[in-house]
C-alpha cells in the first residue's frame, strides 16, 4: 500500500519537475545578456562557433524559419528548448558554459556530497540538541530554565545565519585560534563551525516544536494515570512522555530540509565551502545556463523526496492517518 | 458576566497590553519605522559622503558605529538601510497577503472543482525550492526595490493562500453563514460582512509574521550578493560590504546584523503576542 502510494506520488512529481525545468529554461533565456558576453568581446567567428557548440544558434522555443519552409515538425524540434530537453531526458546536462572543459554532471557529483554531508551533520546536531532542550523546557515549564531556553530558541529562529557564522569565526578562529575559519577538508575541525552555524536555526525549530509537543502530552489522561500509579518522574518522562511527543517532531523533515538548504547558501558563502549552493550563486551571476539548470533540478528532487517522506512518515508514526 | 461593554478587539488589546515582550516589541517596531521615515533628519552624516582620512574606524564618539572602507559613517548607512529593509518587509507582506488572501478565499468559498484546481497550483508552487525561485526571479525582474519585492511576493503568497482557505472553509460551514445564505444575503456581502471580519484576526497575525520573514529573506539575498544593488543598500547588503573585512573589523557586519536581528525578533514576539491575544487556539500560523 505504502509502496503504491510512493510510486503514485513520484509519478505526479514528474510533470512538476518538467514545469520547473521549463520555467527555469525560459527565465534564463528571457534575461538580457548571454554566457559569452564578456568585458572583452570575443571575435565574431569564435562566438558563433561557441554558440553552435552549445546549441545557442537556434531559436529559443519555436523556429519560424522552418515553419515557413514547410517543416512543421522542425518548427518545434530545431530549437534550443527541444535540444536541451532531449539531452536532459538522456541524463546529459551538457558542458558548463563557464568552465567549458567540465560537464555539469561532474560539477554536481563533486559538490553534492559536500552539501549533503554539511546538511546531514547540521540536521543531526539539530536533533541531538533541540530535542533535549525542548524536553527540558517543557518539564520545567514556566521556570527560568524554560524562559532562557525559549529565548535562545526564538533568537535562533530570528538571528540571520551570517551573523551566527561571523560571530563563531571571530571568536573560535581569529581570537582563540581553535578552529579553521573556512574551507572544507576531511578533518573534523573543518566541520565544527559550519555545522553549528547551519544547525542553530533547525535546533531552534525542533526545540520549540518538541516543547509544545511535550506540554501537550503531559496533560494526557494516561500520564496522570501513570503518575497516580506512582511511576517515578524519570521513567515516566522517558517511557511515556518523550516517546509520544516525538511523533510531530519526526515529521518536520520538510521545513527542516528547506531551512537547511536556505541556510547552506549563506554558510557555504561565508566559509568558502565548495558545495552546490556556492556553485548556484556563481552560476547565476555567470549566466551559466546549464549549471543553473542542473543545480535547480537536484534541489527540486530533494524537496520532492522530502515532502513525500514527510507524508509517509505521518502514516507510519500515526496509523490513524491514512495515505491517499 | 460584566463584560458586555467590551468588544473582541478591546479584549484582545487588554490581553496584549499585559504581554510585556509583545509591548516592548511594539514600541521597538514603532521606533524602527520612525527611524526609517525620518532617516534624513536623524542620520548624523550623509550615507554616501566618503572621508578617506577616517576609514575603517572602530566605534567612537564621532562615529557611533564606526566607519567603513570608504570612510562613510556606518550609523547613517544603517539608518538609511532601514528604509529598504522595512519597505521590502511591508510591501511584500501586504502584496502577498492581498494576492494570497484573495486566492485562498475564492478557492475556499467557491469550493468544488475550482477549489481543487486552484489548490493543485498551490501544491506545484510548494514543490519549487523557494530560495532558488527567488534568485531566478530577481534575475528576471532586476535587483532594484521593485524586482526584489515582486520576486519575494511570488514565493510568499502560497502559504498565505492555504491558511486563508482553511479559515474560509471552516467559517463557510458555520451556522451564521448558513443563516445569511438562507435569508438571501448576496455572496459578496457574505464574504465582506460575515467572513472577512471573522478572519481579520488570523490575517493580522499572518501579516506580523510575514514582514520579518521577508526582511530575513531579503537580507540573505543581499548578503550572498544577489539582492539589492548599489546605490540602494539594505541591512543585508551592508552586511555583505562588511563581510570583506570582518576578520579585522567585525563591527562592519555586526551592527547591520544586529539591526536585522532585533527588528525580526520584535516582529516575531509581537506576532506571538497577537496570536495569544486574538486567538489562543490558533497554533499553526507561527513560522
Amino acid at each position: 500500500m505504502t509502496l503504491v502510494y510512493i510510486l503514485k506520488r513520484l509519478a505526479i512529481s514528474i510533470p512538476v519537475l518538467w514545469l520547473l525545468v521549463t520555467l527555469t529554461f525560459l527565465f534564463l533565456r528571457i534575461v538580457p545578456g548571454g554566457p559569452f558576453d564578456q568585458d572583452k568581446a570575443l571575435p565574431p567567428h569564435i562566438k558563433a562557433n561557441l554558440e553552435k557548440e552549445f546549441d545557442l544558434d537556434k531559436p529559443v522555443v519555436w523556429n519560424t524559419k522552418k515553419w515557413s519552409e514547410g517543416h512543421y515538425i522542425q518548427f518545434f524540434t530545431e530549437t534550443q528548448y527541444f535540444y536541451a530537453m532531449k539531452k536532459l531526458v538522456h541524463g546529459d546536462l551538457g558542458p558548463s558554459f563557464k568552465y567549458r572543459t567540465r560537464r555539469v554532471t561532474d560539477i554536481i557529483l563533486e559538490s553534492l556530497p559536500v552539501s549533503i554531508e554539511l546538511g546531514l551533520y547540521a540536521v543531526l546536531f539539530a536533533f541531538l540538541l533541540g530535542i533535549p532542550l525542548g524536553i527540558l523546557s517543557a518539564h520545567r515549564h514556566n521556570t527560568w530554565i524554560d524562559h532562557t531556553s525559549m529565548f535562545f530558541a526564538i533568537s535562533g529562529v530570528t538571528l540571520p545565519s551570517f551573523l551566527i557564522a561571523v560571530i563563531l569565526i571571530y571568536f573560535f578562529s581569529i581570537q582563540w585560534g581553535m578552529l579553521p575559519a573556512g574551507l572544507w577538508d576531511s578533518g573534523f575541525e573543518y566541520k565544527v563551525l559550519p555545522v553549528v552555524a547551519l544547525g542553530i536555526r533547525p535546533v531552534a525549530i525542533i526545540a520549540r516544536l518538541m516543547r509544545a509537543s511535550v506540554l501537550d502530552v503531559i496533560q494526557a489522561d494516561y500520564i496522570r494515570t501513570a503518575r497516580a500509579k506512582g511511576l517515578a518522574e524519570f521513567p515516566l518522562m522517558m517511557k511515556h512522555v518523550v516517546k509520544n511527543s516525538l511523533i510531530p517532531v519526526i515529521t518536520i523533515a520538510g521545513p527542516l530540509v528547506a531551512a537547511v538548504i536556505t541556510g547552506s547558501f549563506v554558510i557555504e558563502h561565508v566559509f568558502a565551502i565548495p558545495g552546490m549552493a556556492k556553485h548556484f550563486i556563481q552560476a547565476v551571476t555567470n549566466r551559466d545556463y546549464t549549471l543553473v539548470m542542473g543545480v535547480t533540478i537536484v534541489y527540486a528532487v530533494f524537496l520532492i523526496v522530502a515532502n513525500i517522506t514527510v507524508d509517509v512518515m505521518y502514516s507510519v508514526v500515526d496509523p490513524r492517518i491514512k495515505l491517499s | 458576566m460584566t463584560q458586555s461593554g467590551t468588544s473582541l478587539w478591546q479584549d484582545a488589546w487588554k490581553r496584549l497590553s499585559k504581554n510585556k515582550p509583545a509591548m516592548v516589541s511594539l514600541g521597538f517596531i514603532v521606533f524602527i519605522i520612525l527611524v526609517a521615515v525620518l532617516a534624513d533628519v536623524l542620520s548624523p552624516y550623509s550615507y554616501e559622503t566618503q572621508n578617506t582620512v577616517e576609514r575603517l574606524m572602530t566605534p567612537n564618539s564621532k562615529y557611533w558605529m564606526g566607519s567603513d572602507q570608504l570612510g562613510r559613517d556606518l550609523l547613517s548607512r544603517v539608518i538609511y538601510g532601514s528604509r529598504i529593509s522595512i519597505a521590502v518587509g511591508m510591501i511584500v507582506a501586504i502584496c502577498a497577503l492581498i494576492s494570497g488572501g484573495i486566492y485562498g478565499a475564492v478557492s475556499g468559498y467557491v469550493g468544488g472543482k475550482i477549489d481543487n484546481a486552484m489548490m493543485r497550483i498551490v501544491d506545484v508552487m510548494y514543490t519549487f525550492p523557494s530560495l532558488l525561485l527567488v534568485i531566478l526571479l530577481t534575475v528576471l525582474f532586476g535587483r532594484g526595490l521593485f524586482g526584489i519585492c515582486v520576486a519575494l511576493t511570488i514565493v510568499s503568497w502560497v502559504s498565505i493562500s492555504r491558511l486563508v482557505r482553511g479559515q474560509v472553509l471552516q467559517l463557510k460551514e458555520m451556522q451564521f453563514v448558513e443563516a445569511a445564505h438562507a435569508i438571501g444575503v448576496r455572496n459578496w456581502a457574505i464574504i465582506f460582512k460575515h467572513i472577512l471580519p471573522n478572519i481579520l484576526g488570523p490575517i493580522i497575525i499572518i501579516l506580523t509574521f510575514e514582514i520579518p520573514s521577508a526582511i530575513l529573506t531579503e537580507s540573505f539575498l543581499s548578503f550572498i550578493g544577489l539582492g539589492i544593488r548599489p546605490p540602494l543598500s539594505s541591512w543585508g547588503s551592508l552586511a555583505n560590504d562588511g563581510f570583506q573585512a570582518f576578520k579585522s573589523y567585525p563591527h562592519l557586519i555586526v551592527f547591520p546584523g544586529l539591526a536585522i536581528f532585533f527588528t525580526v525578533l520584535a516582529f516575531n514576539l509581537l506576532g506571538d503576542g497577537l496570536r495569544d491575544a486574538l486567538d489562543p487556539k490558533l497554533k499553526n500560523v507561527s513560522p
Side-chain angles (χ1 to χ4, degrees):
Chain A
M1 211 29 232
T2 316
L3 188 68
V4 174
Y5 173 79
I6 295 175
L7 288 176
K8 219 164 92 186
R9 283 287 298 268
L10 284 175
I12 299 173
S13 308
I14 292 171
V16 173
L17 258 184
W18 168 77
L19 197 66
L20 178 71
V21 168
T22 306
L23 280 181
T24 311
F25 177 86
L26 291 177
F27 277 165
L28 291 170
R29 292 325 194 258
I30 291 170
V31 288
F36 308 125
D37 296 342
Q38 297 163 352
D39 300 333
K40 222 175 91 188
L42 290 167
H45 59 283
I46 293 184
K47 198 174 172 187
N49 265 342
L50 270 172
E51 289 185 338
K52 193 168 157 53
E53 167 74 19
F54 291 109
D55 302 326
L56 290 176
D57 54 339
K58 298 175 182 63
V60 179
V61 197
W62 48 76
N63 196 333
T64 40
K65 196 166 150 246
K66 295 282 173 194
W67 184 274
S68 57
E69 286 167 7
H71 303 295
Y72 299 118
I73 294 174
Q74 283 163 347
F75 173 73
F76 296 104
T77 56
E78 281 299 305
T79 59
Q80 291 181 29
Y81 178 68
F82 187 80
Y83 271 74
M85 286 295 145
K86 204 168 94 185
K87 282 186 177 160
L88 196 64
V89 173
H90 290 96
D92 177 14
L93 290 159
S96 155
F97 280 10
K98 177 78 183 171
Y99 316 101
R100 276 161 222 157
T101 49
R102 305 192 57 197
R103 303 198 76 74
V104 169
T105 3
D106 295 336
I107 297 180
I108 288 177
L109 283 178
E110 199 181 282
S111 57
L112 182 62
V114 175
S115 288
I116 289 184
E117 200 186 357
L118 174 65
L120 272 184
Y121 284 144
V123 169
L124 202 66
F125 170 72
F127 274 106
L128 287 179
L129 192 62
I131 288 179
L133 206 63
I135 297 172
L136 190 69
S137 219
H139 191 236
R140 302 265 190 274
H141 186 43
N142 271 338
T143 62
W144 66 270
I145 298 180
D146 182 23
H147 294 310
T148 330
S149 50
M150 277 309 110
F151 179 75
F152 277 114
I154 196 160
S155 305
V157 179
T158 51
L159 260 179
S161 43
F162 60 79
L163 192 58
I164 302 174
V166 161
I167 291 172
L168 287 176
I169 293 178
Y170 186 74
F171 285 107
F172 287 91
S173 316
I174 296 167
Q175 291 293 321
W176 304 330
M178 290 160 67
L179 295 160
L183 300 179
W184 189 254
D185 213 329
S186 52
F188 173 74
E189 69 270 21
Y190 283 95
K191 285 162 191 171
V192 180
L193 291 186
V195 166
V196 171
L198 183 56
I200 293 268
R201 197 181 164 84
V203 165
I205 296 174
I206 291 176
R208 275 161 66 118
L209 196 67
M210 190 65 195
R211 173 177 176 271
S213 176
V214 168
L215 284 178
D216 225 34
V217 172
I218 265 180
Q219 290 169 354
D221 286 342
Y222 61 87
I223 299 297
R224 200 178 46 196
T225 312
R227 276 223 171 90
K229 282 182 2 189
L231 196 59
E233 198 61 22
F234 189 73
L236 174 86
M237 285 303 287
M238 282 300 134
K239 265 192 170 164
H240 296 273
V241 179
V242 171
K243 212 170 135 194
N244 286 300
S245 330
L246 280 175
I247 292 175
V249 179
I250 296 170
T251 52
I252 57 157
L256 212 59
V257 169
V260 168
I261 288 179
T262 310
S264 71
F265 275 76
V266 171
I267 299 303
E268 289 183 9
H269 179 66
V270 173
F271 289 94
I273 295 170
M276 293 243 298
K278 200 166 163 43
H279 278 296
F280 184 78
I281 298 171
Q282 278 169 356
V284 169
T285 341
N286 293 337
R287 296 259 187 286
D288 194 339
Y289 297 161
T290 42
L291 188 52
V292 171
M293 182 67 87
V295 178
T296 307
I297 293 172
V298 173
Y299 276 123
V301 168
F302 258 99
L303 271 187
I304 289 170
V305 171
N307 284 336
I308 298 177
T309 316
V310 172
D311 291 345
V312 172
M313 292 269 257
Y314 264 122
S315 78
V316 171
V317 292
D318 190 348
R320 284 169 300 180
I321 299 167
K322 281 213 177 77
L323 297 171
S324 58
Chain B
M1 284 294 173
T2 49
Q3 288 197 332
S4 55
T6 57
S7 74
L8 171 80
W9 295 100
Q10 284 167 325
D11 256 3
W13 173 250
K14 215 189 265 172
R15 274 193 294 257
L16 184 68
S17 55
K18 279 192 196 131
N19 186 335
K20 260 188 218 148
M23 289 313 282
V24 173
S25 302
L26 184 63
F28 184 76
I29 290 166
V30 172
F31 167 72
I32 283 289
I33 292 174
L34 282 178
V35 166
V37 173
L38 300 174
D40 300 310
V41 187
L42 287 174
S43 60
Y45 302 92
S46 153
Y47 65 97
E48 51 183 5
T49 307
Q50 302 178 4
N51 181 348
T52 38
V53 184
E54 294 172 310
R55 291 166 58 234
L56 291 165
M57 306 263 286
T58 45
N60 54 46
S61 57
K62 191 176 174 198
Y63 302 114
W64 290 1
M65 290 185 183
S67 62
D68 70 2
Q69 291 95 323
L70 299 170
R72 296 173 294 193
D73 175 41
L74 189 59
L75 174 63
S76 308
R77 291 180 69 71
V78 169
I79 289 176
Y80 275 95
S82 71
R83 283 196 166 169
I84 301 293
S85 291
I86 299 283
V88 167
M90 300 247 177
I91 295 171
V92 169
I94 290 171
C95 292
L97 187 67
I98 293 173
S99 48
I102 293 176
Y103 191 93
V106 169
S107 182
Y109 192 76
V110 176
K113 273 185 190 155
I114 295 177
D115 178 36
N116 229 326
M118 288 175 87
M119 280 302 117
R120 262 305 116 70
I121 296 175
V122 168
D123 288 344
V124 172
M125 287 291 293
Y126 252 98
T127 327
F128 281 24
S130 67
L131 194 70
L132 263 67
L133 191 60
V134 174
I135 293 174
L136 290 174
L137 284 168
T138 51
V139 171
L140 187 63
F141 291 111
R143 280 157 43 189
L145 189 58
F146 172 79
I148 300 276
C149 286
V150 172
L152 286 176
T153 304
I154 290 178
V155 296
S156 319
W157 68 271
V158 192
S159 54
I160 295 178
S161 76
R162 268 199 179 168
L163 275 167
V164 171
R165 173 177 172 270
Q167 293 283 327
V168 170
L169 273 183
Q170 255 179 26
L171 282 170
K172 205 170 73 169
E173 304 298 322
M174 296 279 201
Q175 282 183 338
F176 68 91
V177 175
E178 224 170 278
H181 270 301
I183 57 170
V185 181
R186 282 161 205 268
N187 272 335
W188 62 267
I190 291 182
I191 290 181
F192 281 100
K193 282 197 176 153
H194 297 281
I195 292 187
L196 192 63
N198 278 299
I199 59 170
L200 214 51
I203 283 181
I204 292 174
I205 297 167
I206 297 170
L207 196 64
T208 343
F209 282 120
E210 201 54 49
I211 294 172
S213 110
I215 293 177
L216 259 188
T217 315
E218 186 278 322
S219 78
F220 277 161
L221 277 182
S222 297
F223 180 74
I224 56 179
L226 297 176
I228 286 280
R229 276 200 166 159
L232 296 178
S233 58
S234 69
W235 289 332
S237 59
L238 286 179
N240 188 26
D241 293 344
F243 177 62
Q244 323 297 338
F246 89 92
K247 283 174 186 167
S248 319
Y249 306 97
H251 65 277
L252 289 177
I253 195 169
V254 167
F255 285 117
L258 286 180
I260 299 168
F261 169 57
F262 283 121
T263 308
V264 172
L265 182 67
F267 274 108
N268 273 300
L269 289 176
L270 179 67
D272 280 342
L274 280 172
R275 186 180 52 199
D276 294 343
L278 285 170
D279 186 356
K281 280 172 292 178
L282 199 76
K283 277 187 184 159
N284 52 351
V285 195
S286 76

